[in-house]
Amino acid sequence: MKLALKCALVSLLVPTSMTAVLGAQEQKRPWQEVTVPSTREVAANFKAPPREYGAIQPFQSWNGANAGQRVPGIPYDAAEVRARIVRDLDRLSANGIFIINLSPGRRAPGEGKYLSQEHMDQVKFTVGELAKRNMRMWIQDESDYPSGFAGGYISERYPQLGMQDIVSDITVHVAPGQTLTMPVPPDTLAIWATETDANQQIEKVIPIPVPADMQLKYQAPNEGTTPNEPRHSWQVQFMRHIYLSSPTRNFNRADGTRAKDATYSIIDYLDLKATDAFLQTVHETYFGAVGDQFGKIVLGFFGDEPDYSSGIPWTPKLLETFKAQKGYDLAPYIPSWFDHKPIEKSDLARADYYDVWSGIFKDSFFGEQANWAKAHNVEYLVHLNHEETMMALERSEGDYFRDNRYVEVPGIDNLSQLIPSLVHTPDGTWNINNNFPKLASSAAHLFGKPKVWAEEGGGVGIDGKYQIDFQMVRGVNALEIRVPVLRGNFAASSNDPSTPPPAIAPEAAMIAWYTNRGGYLMAIGRPAAQVALYHPGSSIWMGGDAATEADRSTTKLGWQLFEHQVDWDYFDEQSLSSVATLENGGFKNLSGQVYKAIVLPSMTVITRTALARLQAFAKQGGKVIFVGKTPSLILDKTFMDAKEKPDLSFATLVEASGDITPAVLAALPKPDVKLDAEFARLTYTHRKWTDGDMYFFFNESNKAESRVATIAGHGTAQSWDLGTGEIHAMAAATVDADGVKIPLVLGPYEAKVVVVGPLPAGVAAAEPSFATAGDTVAELDGDWAVSLNGKDTTTALKPWEELGAAGFTGPATYHRQFTATAAPKGKRVYLEIGDVHDYAKVTLNGKELGVRAWGPYRWDVTGALKTGANDLQVEVDATPAGRGGPGGAPPAAAAPAAPAAGGAGARRRQSAGGAGAAAAPTGRGGRGAAGVPTTSGLLGPVRVVVR
């Protein structure tokens, strides 16, 4: 066994990124390059974008029929599994989904083990079927999560490369005056004695040298033994490094369960050899099976939540590396992190420690995998843990932006938390950052990567589409959506694997194509935000009140900038100190985007290099704006030696209130979007093409809003419809000295893409202004003939629940005849429905006019409307329960509770109870909302309007 391990380690000294691909030609992957096409080129791809830009669907169809349910009597049948793979891929591709995320998921009894030959045969089969359909695939790099334990093979084959933590796990109680004699536990780093009084308050901490012979002999002081003195007690504590892993969930477990615990160890993320062992075990196995399709069908590997959640990270060379980088010995300070009576400067030593281990993590784990992926013509995609709570994120990951410095596709994980009833619930504390999708998009922008991923991108229904738009407007463009296309959980209703899959919801294809088109537009061109919001990671490393203030200030300022239609990116220390270049009065990132202003939140420290770069930036005309507490220390090599207070006289503005005030807004660059009236819940993002500007607007409120927007750009204003793929010139747009003025009319939760540039050929009819009510041709109130759940009735428009069809999901058919007059020449006629839940297909006089699965429910009926009698039919389907209902978010005009001073009101993810509700008890601050009462059907009003 020892010989086998030694040989394995020798082989790992050769980086796996160089094996099997030496001499290989790197293939061009235009979808993974920052490209700036023309408006004409984008329009040519808009209706059906290249497959690599599309929506992603999690895929577990290859698991056995009995996977997860363990129903007796259903044997594993490889032929049945392959038939199901074929069927599900057909269903996906027929409904606009062309990329899967292959997850090994849950193994059924009898199914081959993870990475076995049978497993790889199934992978080969799946890749072959994907190729037949011109589909693409990401491969999850684990048997479940988090990344780095190789389905348990790290513990089995490379136990010496397992994760290690620093712990204080052995405590020996001794009486006053007692002599303790014992062997020192293995790998002990420090020993100390703690004196506590009768109330368990710490009186004294005495360091005990670790004996060279590892035999401890220590006599506790006699304090507390004299009569009439308070009784004291003593504890001798041992701090050491041990093999201790963050919990893993593994379908490859020997006990056949999916328990989440530390039985199967993650690798030591801080050891390059350990990462190479992981790559050799997992990635090279996949490469051996389907490597000929890497960069073609196989886009890359998906990593899930690598982090340190069980303790303080340790690696064998940690102390040596720390001393080389920082110039002092860390060991004397580490016990203070455990003994609850810190010695002087132990907090500064801990900040230095975070600086060191996060740098190792960046290179040894994330960087090494990115190198391997690049050498093998694929991409490395990963999301971290605790993205919405920055202090927990920095604690368990070190530094988000360091970790993603070389990652090709940075990502985030939205666990159904970005829904309207949660993201705008105020509590005034700013402890949860619902703008966390900006972390991933900012990393991509800063480091020159076009793709940004979300593990849960959204789906059908109100909540599902809201999550898509909420993330897109924050720069996410590779969305793993959940649409009801696959087989569903057949075992819940049948033990027969041959049970037919459920019918596909009609809105599934619509949301998939919406996501495909939106993802494409958000991935091409160059991001155009002019404002950077500094991410104060160094201040967060210091812990305590300084960390809390820096964290909450950053979250608050991000929201307040959005409320004033200021788009922004996070700007990290790497970018400020070295990655971004100073050009023409701006910081230019690796995407070619230029920031003209840097907003710095409350912070305690600033590096000397960053300070010098900010001074040079200001000298060239850049805007440097400190908002809140200004830094009091200049950081050079170590936090330990930071003493000097920075001179900030060069700054454009120091806003002590801690809020985005009119003075701050006046100091920012000229905005590229300006409204004629306040609209706090309008967010937008802007990307530049060679000859055009693309704007994605999103009304995050449940209230219809109408504004006139002046947007930067030259050319024709156009509406690009993500649902239909049609492009319409905006007839009511006018040229302005500052750009183009457009009527911006958005229904509740509506998103809209506006392009300013040359009008492409072959566009649809011009879009009129929807800012006015228009001229009504027919009001279709009164009774309708309705076929509902097998019954025919005549009724006024009302929810299905009031018609005795609660729980019915459709389809229902509504029929109505009406009389119309001729439309004026040059005008267009629209059928407009105020509210539908959730999918409506319209046929007028026998002509199908298309479908809508979200607002606005509006159809151009100009070519189908007749003068005189008309026959209208509307087919309606409802999204299954869980979609939310009307008014899923708190009212847009509701006053915030307990606003921060000068702010517009903190917005947090919380329970759905609204202001004053208790925060959800989970560590992530809540993962979903309690459902509101559902209403289904055609609700109206319905009218025919001339515009």
Side-chain angles (χ1 to χ4, degrees):
M1 176 64 179
K2 289 183 179 179
L3 179 61
L5 285 173
K6 185 175 181 180
C7 292
L9 282 174
V10 170
S11 70
L12 289 171
L13 295 178
V14 180
T16 58
S17 59
M18 300 305 297
T19 62
V21 290
L22 292 172
Q25 297 271 328
E26 185 177 351
Q27 299 166 355
K28 286 290 185 183
R29 302 188 296 280
W31 57 89
Q32 197 46 38
E33 300 172 2
V34 175
T35 58
V36 187
S38 68
T39 304
R40 179 183 60 81
E41 291 170 327
V42 179
N45 286 324
F46 177 54
K47 196 169 186 72
R51 297 288 169 89
E52 291 81 8
Y53 293 95
I56 305 166
Q57 175 82 7
F59 191 76
Q60 296 182 349
S61 301
W62 71 342
N63 298 136
N66 193 19
Q69 281 76 40
R70 314 292 185 192
V71 180
I74 303 181
Y76 174 74
D77 183 345
E80 184 274 329
V81 172
R82 293 193 174 192
R84 181 156 18 88
I85 289 172
V86 169
R87 182 190 67 202
D88 286 352
L89 292 180
D90 282 340
R91 287 162 65 90
L92 286 169
S93 60
N95 285 275
I97 295 178
F98 307 109
I99 307 177
I100 64 169
N101 188 354
L102 188 67
S103 171
R106 304 179 183 185
R107 184 163 57 95
E111 188 174 355
K113 286 189 174 183
Y114 180 57
L115 303 181
S116 65
Q117 185 59 54
E118 184 178 357
H119 177 114
M120 287 300 120
D121 287 345
Q122 205 79 292
V123 172
K124 291 177 186 178
F125 176 80
T126 303
V127 169
E129 292 300 316
L130 290 166
K132 293 176 184 178
R133 296 160 180 80
N134 193 24
M135 295 176 71
R136 306 290 183 267
M137 177 174 77
W138 291 94
I139 300 173
Q140 185 176 355
D141 66 6
E142 265 305 345
S143 65
D144 217 320
Y145 72 96
S147 296
F149 65 98
Y153 294 126
I154 295 300
S155 293
E156 178 182 314
R157 302 173 187 175
Y158 308 104
Q160 78 284 10
L161 296 178
M163 178 177 281
Q164 298 187 55
D165 288 325
I166 304 172
V167 298
S168 176
D169 64 333
I170 297 177
T171 299
V172 180
H173 294 268
V174 294
Q178 178 186 349
T179 297
L180 174 65
T181 303
M182 63 175 286
V184 175
D187 300 318
T188 293
L189 298 170
I191 311 171
W192 64 92
T194 303
E195 179 188 18
T196 57
D197 63 19
N199 296 317
Q200 298 303 305
Q201 297 299 309
I202 295 176
E203 290 285 326
K204 189 182 299 181
V205 175
I206 302 175
I208 302 173
V210 178
D213 62 358
M214 302 301 285
Q215 297 296 315
L216 178 66
K217 184 175 183 180
Y218 175 74
Q219 182 178 12
N222 286 319
E223 296 175 13
T225 60
T226 303
N228 301 320
E229 283 187 357
R231 290 291 299 174
H232 287 190
S233 61
W234 289 87
Q235 299 174 341
V236 175
Q237 295 175 266
F238 298 84
M239 184 192 75
R240 59 194 189 123
H241 62 88
I242 65 171
Y243 286 98
L244 177 63
S245 176
S246 298
T248 60
R249 192 181 297 283
N250 179 14
F251 83 69
N252 211 36
R253 290 176 66 100
D255 62 9
T257 71
R258 291 187 71 246
K260 185 177 180 180
D261 56 32
T263 300
Y264 298 94
S265 178
I266 295 170
I267 60 169
D268 176 357
Y269 289 139
L270 307 184
D271 187 339
L272 192 68
K273 294 193 297 293
T275 303
D276 286 341
F278 175 58
L279 290 167
Q280 183 69 43
T281 303
V282 178
H283 298 59
E284 292 285 355
T285 301
Y286 280 104
F287 183 75
V290 291
D292 61 325
Q293 294 301 316
F294 275 31
K296 301 172 186 176
I297 301 302
V298 179
L299 298 178
F301 286 86
F302 150 52
D304 194 15
E305 297 185 359
D307 81 333
Y308 283 91
S309 59
S310 293
I312 298 173
W314 168 266
T315 195
K317 293 186 178 180
L318 177 64
L319 295 180
E320 175 186 336
T321 303
F322 183 93
K323 190 165 188 178
Q325 290 187 23
K326 298 296 182 178
Y328 68 93
D329 186 6
L330 176 66
Y333 297 94
I334 302 178
S336 293
W337 305 344
F338 295 92
D339 63 19
H340 306 295
K341 202 172 182 67
I343 63 174
E344 185 181 3
K345 295 189 174 183
S346 62
D347 56 335
L348 302 179
R350 184 160 186 161
D352 278 330
Y353 161 78
Y354 269 88
D355 188 18
V356 171
W357 82 257
S358 65
I360 301 172
F361 198 14
K362 174 192 74 171
D363 295 324
S364 65
F365 184 72
F366 299 103
E368 182 72 350
Q369 290 191 82
N371 288 339
W372 186 95
K374 184 176 181 180
H376 290 74
N377 293 313
V378 290
E379 321 301 340
Y380 176 37
L381 177 158
V382 67
H383 90 83
L384 308 185
N385 205 2
H386 309 300
E387 291 116 344
E388 73 282 23
T389 51
M390 286 198 295
M391 291 175 65
L393 174 65
E394 299 288 297
R395 222 173 12 246
S396 64
E397 305 285 1
D399 183 274
Y400 183 90
F401 293 97
R402 279 189 178 179
D403 294 345
N404 281 284
R405 174 63 184 89
Y406 303 113
V407 170
E408 287 291 342
V409 185
I412 48 95
D413 187 8
N414 156 43
L415 297 177
S416 296
Q417 61 224 47
L418 300 179
I419 60 177
S421 58
L422 297 182
V423 294
H424 290 297
T425 301
D427 72 356
T429 64
W430 307 104
N431 63 314
I432 300 295
N433 178 23
N434 285 322
N435 286 318
F436 67 87
K438 272 286 188 182
L439 290 168
S441 63
S442 298
H445 299 168
L446 292 171
F447 307 136
K449 312 300 182 185
K451 303 294 282 298
V452 184
W453 183 75
E455 184 170 356
E456 185 171 323
V460 297
I462 293 175
D463 285 351
K465 184 172 180 293
Y466 190 97
Q467 291 177 82
I468 291 172
D469 292 327
F470 189 93
Q471 294 180 88
M472 276 192 186
V473 80
R474 288 161 175 78
V476 178
N477 52 41
L479 293 139
E480 185 168 296
I481 62 175
R482 267 66 167 175
V483 295
V485 172
L486 300 184
R487 68 190 186 277
N489 186 4
F490 72 86
S493 58
S494 171
N495 290 345
D496 183 0
S498 65
T499 300
I504 298 173
E507 61 268 35
M510 290 193 68
I511 205 68
W513 280 106
Y514 181 95
T515 308
N516 292 344
R517 296 178 185 120
Y520 172 64
L521 293 186
M522 291 299 300
I524 50 96
R526 181 170 286 123
Q530 302 178 80
V531 176
L533 176 59
Y534 180 72
H535 188 270
S538 298
S539 294
I540 292 175
W541 287 342
M542 294 188 70
D545 292 341
T548 301
E549 187 173 3
D551 167 32
R552 297 186 177 184
S553 171
T554 308
T555 298
K556 178 174 68 169
L557 295 181
W559 272 119
Q560 291 183 348
L561 288 168
F562 270 147
E563 289 172 346
H564 292 93
Q565 285 72 57
V566 178
D567 193 15
W568 51 272
D569 283 338
Y570 287 113
F571 198 63
D572 76 313
E573 180 63 33
Q574 295 172 108
S575 299
L576 178 55
S577 297
S578 61
V579 176
T581 56
L582 272 170
E583 296 185 23
N584 301 320
F587 275 117
K588 185 177 181 179
N589 65 25
L590 297 185
S591 295
Q593 175 186 5
V594 177
Y595 304 108
K596 295 291 187 178
I598 308 291
V599 175
L600 296 101
S602 291
M603 51 197 289
T604 304
V605 296
I606 188 169
T607 67
R608 191 175 300 277
T609 302
L611 189 64
R613 294 261 285 174
L614 287 172
Q615 291 169 337
F617 174 63
K619 191 173 182 179
Q620 290 189 18
K623 309 294 185 179
V624 179
I625 303 169
F626 288 89
V627 182
K629 178 182 177 182
T630 55
S632 57
L633 297 171
I634 297 178
L635 178 61
D636 288 302
K637 184 177 180 180
T638 72
F639 286 84
M640 186 70 70
D641 297 325
K643 295 181 178 68
E644 185 181 346
K645 186 175 181 178
D647 177 5
L648 304 180
S649 60
F650 68 90
T652 308
L653 178 68
V654 176
E655 176 52 69
S657 71
D659 291 293
I660 300 299
T661 62
V664 173
L665 295 172
L668 294 175
K670 181 180 178 181
D672 47 16
V673 171
K674 187 176 181 180
L675 303 181
D676 64 338
E678 181 182 345
F679 187 173
R681 293 200 180 171
L682 174 71
T683 47
Y684 84 96
T685 193
H686 175 198
R687 299 183 74 89
K688 295 187 73 68
W689 303 337
T690 300
D691 56 357
D693 293 82
M694 189 277 292
Y695 294 86
F696 185 101
F697 294 101
F698 180 37
N699 175 10
E700 299 189 3
S701 79
N702 65 349
K703 179 183 176 183
E705 299 280 0
S706 178
R707 300 290 188 277
V708 174
T710 302
I711 59 179
H714 301 283
T716 303
Q718 308 152 41
S719 172
W720 289 40
D721 190 327
L722 298 182
T724 64
E726 293 179 340
I727 299 172
H728 306 263
M730 299 180 71
T734 58
V735 176
D736 183 89
D738 293 328
V740 177
K741 279 190 175 181
I742 61 169
L744 190 60
V745 181
L746 298 172
Y749 308 148
E750 183 182 351
K752 186 180 185 71
V753 173
V754 176
V755 172
V756 179
L759 188 66
V763 298
E767 175 185 282
S769 172
F770 297 107
T772 61
D775 298 321
T776 301
V777 172
E779 291 274 8
L780 305 184
D781 50 10
D783 288 342
W784 289 63
V786 182
S787 294
L788 174 66
N789 200 16
K791 297 180 180 179
D792 294 332
T793 186
T794 300
T795 178
L797 298 179
K798 59 181 66 175
W800 292 349
E801 290 74 14
E802 294 182 22
L803 296 173
F808 181 60
T809 59
T813 303
Y814 293 75
H815 186 260
R816 178 70 185 268
Q817 293 182 332
F818 65 93
T819 301
T821 57
K825 187 175 182 181
K827 297 285 188 176
R828 303 202 69 79
V829 186
Y830 292 87
L831 173 72
E832 298 181 351
I833 303 177
D835 197 7
V836 181
H837 291 288
D838 296 294
Y839 167 95
K841 176 182 177 181
V842 168
T843 303
L844 180 60
N845 299 321
K847 183 176 181 179
E848 292 188 1
L849 298 178
V851 297
R852 303 286 185 271
W854 51 83
Y857 291 93
R858 181 187 297 123
W859 290 259
D860 187 337
V861 298
T862 307
L865 188 72
K866 296 178 181 179
T867 301
N870 288 268
D871 187 82
L872 174 64
Q873 179 177 297
V874 183
E875 182 180 302
V876 176
D877 285 84
T879 304
R883 66 181 184 277
R907 291 188 264 183
R908 315 265 32 88
R909 187 181 74 254
Q910 210 181 51
S911 67
T922 71
R924 296 181 68 97
R927 299 195 176 196
V932 297
T934 59
T935 52
S936 307
L938 175 59
L939 306 180
V942 183
R943 63 188 193 129
V944 181
V945 183
V946 171
R947 296 186 180 277

